[in-house]
Amino acid sequence: MSDVYKSVVKPILAGFGITRRRLMQRRKKYADVTVQYPDELREQYPRTRWRHFLTRYDNGLEKCIGCSLCAGACPARCIFVEAAENTDEARFSPGERYAVRYEINMIRCIFCGYCQDACPTGAIILRKDFELADYRREDFIYTKEMLLEEYPGQSEEPFESKVGGVYVNG
Amino acid sequence: MAAAPTTDTVTISINDVEIEVPKGELIVDAVKRLGLEIPIFCYHSRMKPVGMCRMCLVEVGFKQPDGSVRKMPKPQAGCTLPASEGMAVYTDTELVHKDRRGVLEFLLINHPLDCPICDRGGECPLQNNTLFYGPSTSRFIELKRHLPKAFPLSRYVTLDLERCIQCGRCVRFTEEISGDAQLAFRFRGANMQPTSFQLTEFESKFSGNVIEICPVGALTSTKYRFRARPWDLETKPAICTVCSNGCSVWFDYRVGKFVRLNGRVNEAVNEEWTCDRGKFGHDFYNSPKRLLAPALRKEDALRTANWAEAYAAILEAFEPGGNAVAALTGPMVSNESYYLLQKLFRGVFRSNNLDHRWTRHLSAASDRLESKMGMPTVATSIEAFEHKSAVLAIGTSLADEEPILFLRLRKAWFKNGTKVVVACDRDTDADSFAHLVLRYRPGTEMALAGGLLAAAVESGRATVPDPVREDLKRYSPSAAASATGVPEDRIREAADILGPNAAIVTTHRLLDVADAQGTLEYLAGLAMCLRAEFNLYALGANDQGALELGIHPELLPSGVALADAEAAAEVGRTMGIEIPREPGLGTHELLRACADGRIKALWLVGCDPFALHADRDLVQRALEGVEFLVVQDIVETEATSYASVILPMLGPAEQDGTYTNMERRVQRLRQVIPDAGDAKPAWRIFAEAMLRAQPQTPFFSAEEIMEEIARVAPAFEVARYDRLGHEGTRL
């Protein structure tokens, strides 16, 4: 009899005990375990690496010089860069060279951040926008137009969630 | 190494390892025998050492009688130091490492660190050496030297003076290898600049090589500028098909598109050099005028069709066969394709109307030097020119027509003192090192050739049959001198220079002059009498192959003449076809027959008659006159607008195949670049046409065709794919 109590009843009661304890604690410690996504977005850790951006200098010139070092460093071989020469009439970046085509295949990307490490000008930066899902495979090829900031510092601003309309710190 | 078979050897020690090396071998080369590497910038094994960059410093000492080593007080430059007995070299001591760090720090003082945008970045000896031997940081905080960036030295070469480390490789290349000496150093010390004199355009015919030998990104290719980085590129071995030299090259391509071409080492052909014509002459692969789908003329307009429709139309038009059909070919087609074309025409269309020649003079089969005089027209290999005592180059500007042969000839003169006689009606680049220049009046080639032979006969060094002796009276040296405008003593001297170890060089360009046949016979006679070698080199990439494989109205594969009924029938049996007996027409006659309407259907394979034939008017009348015109080509040409059917053909590097260069070296070119559009290899087009005309087992690969070629033309036995080495094989 005592065996039945020890091996069956006691563990069950102990289990319910844990449940009761958690129920009591819920409001305090585990209040934010579940986030009501997409109505709410969780705050990202400081070094989170998600969507890439090509940034600009304060004077508006692109930081990217089309050197293709990111493509060389990329372990997933998902970056394609085609360079061209700046002229005085059409100047995109300081110096002689700029990227005329810059594409990242987001399906292949593993978000390791090596491209950011390799970049000699700090042009490519992985920011915190993680809402990268899409419907068609072709839409995962991010072109230069999609990656490039419209104005300096744009990528550091909070971004808008695609689904919930909630602004989160970027 | 091959050039020094029986030299004395000395024993030296490298890092305390004793090794025997040829006496006088440079230390920088000697250490390679132990698998060691001394970092270098200015040293280049094909040029004289100068010791300018000091990168190759090593510690050197000599063995003393008591067995100890007494080191020299200062490090020595390994590139200028010849090995001598008892020398002890140290490449891996603390002092050497410190020296290398110091030299690199010094070179990097003024070198801008714009590696991310430099075309050399990723394949740069300065980057590599700095990474392996240099300091990891810079102590230099002052302002660097600033000079013009991206100065256009020529249409092919861009000069960035900031990046130059003054190694002098480019300057020495133009002085020692190409010989045009167009680059030189201006100013001294840190301000030293390699530029052309007076900053004029650098218009060497070999300027592309300085891009490759520059150890930094100072000289870069204008065409390749910012096109790709080295790690973006895929690289495969190939051969150049722009001229008949058949240089070994590397093809660099990116996402399936040809990007650039670099020289590949092939000691037998181009060593490691390329000419500008080849290096920058492969634009057609990416041409916007590429033909990508077959087209058929319907209601007076060319409309895209599929291959089945195209073949059906062609076979219907070529059905009459015999004298009513013909084919003309260009030079950039593989051996396999030539062979199948002639098999298609002889076997299916029962016609010998085939030709690959576009020169004004077309030798009849009976007039060819091989059959008439028993004289081979290709005797000397490119490599063999180095050891010739004398060479007569007549009627050709070698730097333009056979650029790599030109470099080899110049090397022969530069290294071994070969006496070069240049006979041409205009200035040529070879004049600069010629022992003798014979500048004859245009059109007097025959008089000069006769004069040379007559001079050799007069001096008693040559004996000729009496009828020839009689004939030569027209061209006694004095008569030849007045006819050609070349001084008589020069004609005599030129004839005296030639001897048993000499070679006479001319190209198919000589077939464009008046009296080409007579000129050739005199030259061949001169070579025969003096036991010299005679060479009539082809100009197009595979002209020689077309000749060997019977793209000729009177010759069958392996050079069997159609007139030789028994041999011709035997060749036909091996091919499995019946050879038509009636000889075909040569290019000119053939075009005239097209203009007259005697030929109903003409097939142009990789050739634009407007560009190749001298008589534009005749070409136009021919292409307008012929009822059915098939234009099979890589890119759109002037001829395509006359076409009834357009067949898109793949370029040489887009298919498997072999090419026969001017010294009869067969080299394999594997497919490097992916297929373009709907285009097919030429051999496949012919194979499919044959299959549709007569049910048979088709050829599935170029290799199978080479197997059959080797049976039909036994000379090609050595060219079977499993036997062809990476340097190719001479037939």
Side-chain angles (χ1 to χ4, degrees), chain A:
Chain A
M1 188 65 204
S2 65
D3 281 354
V4 173
Y5 173 76
K6 199 175 162 188
S7 59
V8 179
V9 180
K10 197 180 171 190
I12 291 175
L13 290 177
F16 280 128
I18 292 171
T19 311
R20 197 190 58 130
R21 200 162 68 238
R22 288 281 188 266
L23 280 169
M24 293 299 108
Q25 286 174 347
R26 184 175 176 270
R27 298 234 172 263
K28 293 182 276 173
K29 197 173 169 187
Y30 296 97
D32 54 351
V33 164
T34 305
V35 171
Q36 293 303 313
Y37 183 80
D39 294 335
E40 299 169 23
L41 295 176
R42 194 196 300 283
E43 191 183 337
Q44 303 286 310
Y45 286 101
R47 288 193 282 170
T48 303
R49 298 187 302 260
W50 284 114
R51 189 191 193 281
H52 314 66
F53 277 96
L54 288 172
T55 53
R56 290 180 187 271
Y57 289 108
D58 289 341
N59 63 3
L61 286 177
E62 295 165 15
K63 284 187 184 173
C64 179
I65 50 172
C67 72
S68 211
L69 277 165
C70 46
C74 180
R77 306 285 283 159
C78 67
I79 306 181
F80 178 87
V81 185
E82 194 179 305
E85 190 157 7
N86 281 314
T87 55
D88 286 335
E89 295 79 49
R91 176 160 293 282
F92 297 88
S93 66
E96 295 169 89
R97 182 172 176 143
Y98 76 100
V100 66
R101 258 176 86 191
Y102 193 108
E103 285 168 11
I104 301 181
N105 183 344
M106 285 297 192
I107 301 182
R108 300 197 79 181
C109 179
I110 58 169
F111 301 96
C112 64
Y114 282 10
C115 47
Q116 182 173 340
D117 282 356
C119 185
T121 60
I124 187 160
I125 292 179
L126 281 76
R127 299 284 193 211
K128 292 172 188 152
D129 179 359
F130 57 86
E131 290 182 342
L132 303 172
D134 220 323
Y135 293 98
R136 296 186 312 148
R137 299 184 79 87
E138 304 87 80
D139 293 340
F140 286 94
I141 309 286
Y142 280 32
T143 60
K144 188 186 171 191
E145 291 69 38
M146 296 159 79
L147 294 165
L148 188 66
E149 292 182 326
E150 281 169 31
Y151 48 85
Q154 185 208 10
S155 68
E156 284 170 272
E157 292 170 4
F159 67 92
E160 193 176 346
S161 167
K162 277 181 195 167
V163 278
V166 180
Y167 290 87
V168 178
N169 201 7

Side-chain angles (χ1 to χ4, degrees), chain B residues 419-468:
Chain B
K419 287 180 177 171
V420 180
V421 181
V422 178
C424 196
D425 54 6
R426 57 194 187 279
D427 284 346
T428 73
D429 295 69
D431 293 356
S432 62
F433 60 90
H435 181 75
L436 209 57
V437 177
L438 311 179
R439 178 79 60 255
Y440 55 80
R441 293 193 194 104
T444 59
E445 286 83 1
M446 184 165 167
L448 181 68
L452 286 168
L453 182 53
V457 171
E458 265 184 36
S459 66
R461 296 173 63 239
T463 44
V464 292
D466 285 337
V468 180

Side-chain angles (χ1 to χ4, degrees), chain A residues 65-69 71-72 77 80-86 95-97 120, chain B residues 114-119 149-150 160 163 225-229 231-232 254-255:
Chain A
I65 50 172
C67 72
S68 211
L69 277 165
R77 306 285 283 159
F80 178 87
V81 185
E82 194 179 305
E85 190 157 7
N86 281 314
E96 295 169 89
R97 182 172 176 143
Chain B
D114 59 354
C115 303
I117 63 151
C118 174
D119 275 337
K149 301 286 272 184
D160 188 321
R163 294 182 190 144
R225 188 170 167 78
F226 298 165
R227 291 273 306 277
R229 311 300 313 271
W231 53 86
D232 293 330
R254 188 181 188 198
V255 287

Side-chain angles (χ1 to χ4, degrees), chain B residues 662-682:
Chain B
M662 75 346 163
E663 51 159 2
R664 299 179 84 217
R665 179 181 299 278
V666 180
Q667 300 184 96
R668 175 131 183 240
L669 176 51
R670 289 183 170 79
Q671 179 168 13
V672 177
I673 315 171
D675 296 9
D678 220 3
K680 291 184 179 185

Side-chain angles (χ1 to χ4, degrees), chain B residues 3-315:
Chain B
T6 54
T7 42
D8 301 340
T9 57
V10 291
T11 307
I12 63 169
S13 83
I14 297 166
N15 297 345
D16 295 325
V17 179
E18 297 222 330
I19 181 175
E20 266 193 35
V21 298
K23 190 178 181 183
E25 188 176 56
L26 298 173
I27 293 302
V28 69
D29 287 330
V31 300
K32 287 182 188 155
R33 292 169 185 271
L34 287 182
L36 298 173
E37 191 79 37
I38 294 180
I40 48 168
F41 288 121
C42 69
Y43 177 68
H44 191 285
S45 57
R46 295 184 206 277
M47 297 190 280
K48 287 180 185 164
V50 284
M52 285 175 89
C53 71
R54 316 310 290 173
M55 191 62 228
C56 59
L57 291 178
V58 287
E59 270 197 281
V60 178
F62 281 93
K63 277 243 167 67
Q64 299 303 303
D66 63 354
S68 65
V69 172
R70 195 171 154 203
K71 285 186 183 171
M72 292 189 192
K74 287 181 180 178
Q76 303 292 311
C79 74
T80 52
L81 192 67
S84 60
E85 188 65 42
M87 191 177 261
V89 181
Y90 297 91
T91 66
D92 200 21
T93 63
E94 198 45 53
L95 183 74
V96 171
H97 288 296
K98 189 165 173 251
D99 291 336
R100 288 175 183 165
R101 274 199 302 277
V103 169
L104 278 165
E105 186 172 28
F106 179 67
L107 289 177
L108 288 170
I109 279 181
N110 274 321
H111 188 83
L113 295 180
D114 59 354
C115 303
I117 63 151
C118 174
D119 275 337
R120 202 77 165 129
E123 52 180 12
C124 172
L126 182 59
Q127 272 187 336
N128 293 347
N129 283 343
T130 306
L131 214 63
F132 285 120
Y133 307 106
S136 48
T137 53
S138 172
R139 292 181 292 170
F140 190 76
I141 51 167
E142 290 82 359
L143 197 66
K144 294 199 179 207
R145 173 186 67 181
H146 279 294
L147 289 161
K149 301 286 272 184
F151 176 76
L153 208 54
S154 76
R155 31 193 293 242
Y156 299 129
V157 184
T158 304
L159 171 66
D160 188 321
L161 279 171
E162 283 187 0
R163 294 182 190 144
C164 177
I165 57 165
Q166 290 110 1
C167 71
R169 272 188 177 188
C170 51
V171 174
R172 287 183 292 144
F173 174 84
T174 62
E175 281 167 5
E176 292 178 28
I177 308 289
S178 72
D180 40 61
Q182 288 186 0
L183 296 181
F185 276 124
R186 297 200 306 168
F187 312 130
R188 289 292 173 267
N191 298 323
M192 193 148 84
Q193 302 176 349
T195 50
S196 50
F197 294 95
Q198 304 287 331
L199 300 178
T200 50
E201 186 166 328
F202 173 41
E203 52 189 14
S204 166
K205 283 160 185 152
F206 303 93
S207 65
N209 291 298
V210 301
I211 298 167
E212 278 180 65
I213 59 173
C214 180
V216 292
L219 293 161
T220 51
S221 164
T222 309
K223 284 200 163 189
Y224 172 66
R225 188 170 167 78
F226 298 165
R227 291 273 306 277
R229 311 300 313 271
W231 53 86
D232 293 330
L233 297 170
E234 288 181 83
T235 301
K236 277 190 187 162
I239 57 166
C240 175
T241 52
V242 171
C243 84
S244 62
N245 289 173
C247 295
S248 292
V249 293
W250 293 109
F251 259 56
D252 286 357
Y253 60 102
R254 188 181 188 198
V255 287
K257 293 272 181 209
F258 168 77
V259 175
R260 69 168 175 181
L261 182 149
N262 282 331
R264 179 162 63 96
V265 175
N266 185 345
E267 297 296 343
V269 183
N270 57 324
E271 301 191 294
E272 65 182 76
W273 311 121
T274 51
C275 68
D276 286 1
R277 195 147 68 93
K279 193 177 175 77
F280 304 107
H282 287 76
D283 288 347
F284 59 88
Y285 285 112
N286 299 331
S287 166
K289 291 185 164 182
R290 272 304 285 268
L291 297 171
L292 296 171
L296 206 57
R297 189 173 292 279
K298 276 181 204 152
E299 293 142 19
D300 235 31
L302 281 163
R303 290 176 208 283
T304 307
N306 61 35
W307 281 96
E309 291 166 345
Y311 285 134
I314 290 171
L315 289 178

